[in-house]
Amino acid sequence: MTTPTERSLGMLRKEGWTVGKTEHWNPHVPRPGGMGVRQDLLGFIDLVCFSGAGVLVVQTTSGSNAAARIAKIREIPAHAAVLASGARIEVHSWRKRGLRGKRKLWSCARMNVELAPTAPGWPPSEQPQQESISPV
């Protein structure tokens, strides 16, 4: 059985993206019922993708969890910085589809995540920049 992250990884590579997986298992985090959690980059990035079209970051999920993932991303202040950098954010929602009585195939719904109107921590506070000193 493949995970949503593995399916998105394969799909994006077929589209010509150079893809890196950022999600990893951390066995040292205690949680109810045992140890270990799956951690994403910045709390929401499973895959980072590069091509001539730019940078794409992806959160993958099962079909029924897409709305919750989009809401989660919009609550994370870092999503505003990712979008401000010019990168796009997509949620890939995977589910099996097909006609009744026929073979079911995996299908991906791709949703763009836009900047939340009230993104916490955005815009960043104006901090004076340090002057760069070059040798004379």
Side-chain angles (χ1 to χ4, degrees):
M1 183 170 139
T2 59
T3 66
T5 301
E6 291 168 339
R7 289 190 289 274
S8 287
L9 190 73
M11 178 182 71
L12 291 163
R13 285 183 174 156
K14 284 181 184 175
E15 291 176 1
W17 292 90
T18 300
V19 185
K21 182 178 171 185
T22 62
E23 171 190 67
H24 69 277
W25 178 255
N26 183 345
H28 305 290
V29 177
R31 63 177 173 83
M35 294 288 285
V37 295
R38 196 156 297 286
Q39 292 182 319
D40 301 332
L41 178 65
L42 299 177
F44 69 94
I45 301 171
D46 293 329
L47 302 171
V48 178
C49 315
F50 304 93
S51 80
V55 178
L56 172 68
V57 299
V58 178
Q59 165 80 65
T60 62
T61 188
S62 61
S64 60
N65 292 320
R69 294 295 186 267
I70 291 171
K72 177 184 96 167
I73 291 169
R74 289 180 144 202
E75 291 175 359
I76 297 172
H79 95 282
V82 170
L83 291 170
S85 75
R88 291 185 302 126
I89 301 173
E90 281 187 0
V91 172
H92 289 185
S93 175
W94 288 92
R95 67 173 42 158
K96 283 194 170 184
R97 294 179 183 255
L99 298 173
R100 177 175 282 179
K102 300 290 182 181
R103 181 176 170 219
K104 308 298 186 252
L105 300 174
W106 285 109
S107 173
C108 179
R110 297 169 78 158
M111 292 148 278
N112 282 316
V113 177
E114 303 295 332
L115 184 63
T118 57
W122 190 257
S125 60
E126 292 296 322
Q127 298 290 327
Q129 295 184 358
Q130 288 185 322
E131 294 181 31
S132 59
I133 302 172
S134 57
V136 179

